[in-house]
Amino acid sequence: MVELKTEESINEMRAPGRVVALALAAVRQAAHVGVSLQELDAVAREVLAGAGASSPFLGYRPHFAPVPFPGVICASVNDAIVHGIPDGYRLRDGDLVSIDCGAKLGGWVGDAAVSFTVGRPRPADVRLIETAEAALAAGIAAARPGNRIGDIAHAIGTVCRSAGYGIMEDYGGHGVGRTMHEDPGVPNEGRPGRGMQLRPGMVLAIEPMLIAGGTDHYRCDGDGWTLRTVDGTRAAHTEHTIAITATGPRILTAL
């Protein structure tokens, strides 16, 4: 069931959204060669604690997970697409890093992700990240009353496929509200004019996940969480929580 949020509730959801934005900005600023993923997780924890927010990631255990998630960020490096565990790995020159972060504050959740490079960037990685950001922007632009879920999916998929990238199968965006994952699901590829009609008050996490090699497939690490490309090529992940309003989409996880 899809919960339509009131204007007051959407305004309240801006608070956890801003905490997420601040945490992602702090992590990105701290991400230098030699810094460990655990240290980046500690940076995000400090931001959340300073805002009085909790993490919907920490301790999260869906049906597929062998253990609860141990961090407040997902830190996915190079060929890791999503759900990377922040461990002792130390960043190296040229790494492509995707950070996903959530915050819960005042009973509401915000969820967003960003990809960036560390040190000297590879041109191919820059193009991949720019395309992921363009796909996210296209999906957000399509999130207007009267459109349908398929319009968001089509906008994202068109940008990704036109650039020759793969789209991670089985995964996409989702509703956000009192919990991190709510209805409806938001695929990253689809047919325009299909699916649930978008209405003011819907709050969605839109999150393209691109695979440089062009395949849509992935594999899971032995930790039961980290999802990687099967061909070893790099991946990028971008995400915003947005509210659909009568005047268009409102980004709740922007600075």
Side-chain angles (χ1 to χ4, degrees):
M1 184 178 70
V2 176
E3 177 191 1
L4 297 180
K5 280 72 174 178
T6 64
E7 183 177 356
E8 180 182 5
S9 295
I10 290 172
N11 288 335
E12 291 174 354
M13 291 187 74
R14 176 67 178 124
R18 181 170 174 77
V19 174
V20 170
L22 291 170
L24 288 174
V27 168
R28 184 169 187 166
Q29 185 175 19
H32 300 294
V33 173
V35 174
S36 74
L37 300 182
Q38 288 174 333
E39 289 168 336
L40 296 183
D41 188 72
V43 169
R45 288 176 189 248
E46 185 174 353
V47 173
L48 266 62
S54 61
S55 170
F57 290 17
L58 185 62
Y60 180 59
R61 188 178 184 183
H63 65 88
F64 62 80
V67 295
F69 194 77
V72 304
I73 61 170
C74 295
S76 307
V77 181
N78 297 332
D79 63 331
I81 312 167
V82 289
H83 301 166
I85 291 176
D87 56 17
Y89 176 85
R90 294 193 175 275
L91 296 174
R92 301 170 184 171
D93 187 42
D95 277 347
L96 193 166
V97 183
S98 296
I99 302 293
D100 192 355
C101 184
K104 188 167 187 177
L105 185 63
W108 297 105
V109 171
D111 185 12
V114 63
S115 289
F116 54 87
T117 57
V118 176
R120 293 168 292 183
R122 300 182 181 184
D125 291 345
V126 173
R127 178 174 175 266
L128 177 65
I129 293 169
E130 288 177 345
T131 304
E133 292 171 345
L136 176 59
I140 292 172
R144 295 183 173 276
N147 280 357
R148 294 183 178 274
I149 292 291
D151 294 307
I152 297 175
H154 178 71
I156 294 170
T158 297
V159 172
C160 298
R161 296 300 189 190
S162 296
Y165 296 128
I167 299 170
M168 187 183 186
E169 61 184 0
D170 305 325
Y171 280 83
H174 49 86
V176 181
R178 296 289 184 182
T179 62
M180 182 167 53
H181 294 127
E182 297 185 354
D183 291 332
V186 186
N188 286 324
E189 189 170 33
R191 297 177 63 182
R194 298 296 182 93
M196 182 179 294
Q197 189 169 46
L198 304 178
R199 298 168 59 189
M202 294 175 70
V203 177
L204 308 173
I206 298 175
E207 51 178 324
M209 290 164 272
L210 280 62
I211 297 174
T215 180
D216 298 349
H217 306 305
Y218 60 89
R219 63 178 178 84
C220 187
D221 276 2
D223 61 22
W225 278 101
T226 307
L227 302 180
R228 296 186 184 274
T229 64
V230 295
D231 58 4
T233 60
R234 295 188 169 193
H237 176 206
T238 56
E239 178 183 16
H240 269 308
T241 298
I242 64 105
I244 297 173
T245 75
T247 57
R250 178 185 176 189
I251 301 176
L252 301 178
T253 47
L255 282 176

